[in-house]
Amino acid sequence: MSKNPTLTFHFPIMPTLKRSLQITLLIATLSLISFFSFAQKLIPPPITNEEWVRDYEPFRIAGNLYYVGTYDLACYLITTPQGHILINTGMPGSAAMIRSHVEALGFKFSDIKILLATHAHFDHVGGTAEVKKITGAKMMINENDAPVLADGGNSDFAFGGKGSTFQPVKADRLLRDHDTVKLGGMQLIVLHTPGHTKGACSFLFDVKDEHRTYRVLIANMPTINEGVKVSGMPSYPNIATDYAYTFDSLKKLQFDIWFASHAGQFGLHKKRKPGDSYNPEVFSDRQGYDAMLSNLQKQYLEKLNAQ
């Protein structure tokens, strides 16, 4: 320690300032990545599925929560008097379809103020650049997926290295585990559930209708893409630990109704048919949630032991 007391300083705000400077630097870096990536020609996505681009009837899920996605790619609209939140934007080129769904439900597409994503794969953020351009909404994503979003998927640990598969987008806000996203009385808790991607997230929040309040979980299910080594990837060495953490944390969550990134993951087409009347209760299904997690964890452990 210095003998001169005038040279000894204590700044209790320094950790916060340091974190702020780190985030500022990361956002600036993402801006440069996004700028240069826009000049790149997009490559075809590594996986295609007709159900990902097939149109599907939008509907009211519960309270001010609506389904506006495609047949299988789930996109969710949360409406408020101060503007709306859109979670996921589907494949590249899906913006027009999502817009038609939002407007068919009686809402203005231009009122979307916040964009969120369960994870930064081309089939869930492919339309983000276009939606952001039309609406001017702020894009918020977990800090670990922000670089992938900013280079159009080229740095993805599983699919990257060949070029951008979607138009890059710079994040306006970097999210961390248990951050809260607020708009018009809504408060969404951001849960970091990594493994499928480094920054995969789930969202927990309440909606209310004329009869009751529902605790809603939009879960990013920890599925494993073909070719991924859960024992460790060159650019994701701690993937096994992240998967284990996610299985443990998702099992502990409490909710009334639940959804996921893909309609098939939460059984949308078995629980609800086009034209069905409003009935949030069909999406309660704790048993189905637990069974899917158990099955996915079994697959994870089998792959881990085999590798």
Side-chain angles (χ1 to χ4, degrees):
M1 181 179 293
S2 171
K3 295 180 181 180
N4 187 346
T6 62
L7 298 180
T8 303
F9 301 93
H10 299 282
F11 294 109
I13 64 168
M14 285 305 292
T16 302
L17 178 59
K18 181 179 179 181
R19 179 67 190 170
S20 178
L21 290 173
Q22 289 174 334
I23 292 176
T24 301
L25 179 60
L26 180 53
I27 290 177
T29 302
L30 297 178
S31 298
L32 290 175
I33 293 174
S34 181
F35 174 79
F36 288 112
S37 296
F38 262 105
Q40 299 176 2
K41 182 179 179 180
L42 297 183
I43 64 170
I47 305 172
T48 57
N49 186 326
E50 185 274 332
E51 292 183 347
W52 290 357
V53 294
R54 187 195 306 176
D55 201 356
Y56 189 75
E57 174 193 64
F59 65 94
R60 184 189 183 199
I61 296 173
N64 57 319
L65 174 66
Y66 299 82
Y67 186 92
V68 294
T70 68
Y71 185 86
D72 185 61
L73 295 182
C75 304
Y76 303 95
L77 182 72
I78 301 171
T79 62
T80 86
Q82 279 72 52
H84 313 318
I85 300 170
L86 179 64
I87 303 176
N88 293 342
T89 60
M91 289 283 287
S94 296
M97 185 185 300
I98 295 173
R99 181 174 187 168
S100 69
H101 291 169
V102 171
E103 293 174 347
L105 291 167
F107 303 104
K108 292 182 179 180
F109 195 64
S110 59
D111 284 343
I112 295 174
K113 304 300 181 184
I114 295 175
L115 299 175
L116 299 173
T118 49
H119 61 276
H121 275 162
F122 58 91
D123 51 331
H124 302 289
V125 296
T128 299
E130 188 174 357
V131 174
K132 194 176 192 303
K133 181 179 179 181
I134 296 171
T135 64
K138 301 295 184 182
M139 178 65 205
M140 304 179 186
I141 196 165
N142 180 271
E143 59 186 348
N144 297 296
D145 265 6
V148 180
L149 184 70
D151 64 22
N154 190 44
S155 60
D156 183 85
F157 77 90
F159 301 127
K162 300 177 182 178
S164 300
T165 53
F166 57 87
Q167 289 291 348
V169 177
K170 183 195 75 171
D172 297 292
R173 178 184 171 188
L174 303 180
L175 300 173
R176 303 171 69 196
D177 190 32
H178 282 84
D179 274 354
T180 302
V181 175
K182 300 179 181 180
L183 181 68
M186 291 296 301
Q187 296 190 43
L188 282 68
I189 301 173
V190 181
L191 304 174
H192 187 208
T193 47
H196 189 70
T197 67
K198 296 178 183 179
C201 281
S202 302
F203 302 97
L204 198 61
F205 55 95
D206 293 334
V207 296
K208 185 178 182 180
D209 66 9
E210 299 80 6
H211 305 289
R212 58 164 292 186
T213 297
Y214 294 90
R215 188 66 161 172
V216 179
L217 171 65
I218 296 178
N220 192 92
M221 283 294 177
T223 56
I224 303 169
N225 284 313
E226 187 174 351
V228 170
K229 292 184 177 180
V230 295
S231 58
M233 301 283 286
S235 58
Y236 197 176
N238 61 321
I239 186 172
T241 303
D242 277 359
Y243 265 111
Y245 166 81
T246 292
F247 283 117
D248 182 63
S249 61
L250 286 178
K251 287 179 180 180
K252 296 175 181 177
L253 297 179
Q254 298 299 315
F255 53 84
D256 297 310
I257 55 179
W258 75 280
F259 307 89
S261 303
H262 289 264
Q265 292 176 337
F266 65 94
L268 169 62
H269 305 297
K270 294 180 180 179
K271 296 173 180 176
R272 185 189 184 279
K273 304 298 181 184
D276 281 358
S277 58
Y278 175 74
N279 185 11
E281 301 294 341
V282 300
F283 299 110
S284 56
D285 191 24
R286 178 75 203 209
Q287 183 177 359
Y289 175 82
D290 290 338
M292 184 169 192
L293 280 179
S294 178
N295 183 55
L296 289 175
Q297 188 170 32
K298 180 181 178 181
Q299 294 176 27
Y300 158 73
L301 292 174
E302 289 175 350
K303 288 180 179 291
L304 185 61
N305 292 331
Q307 295 168 3

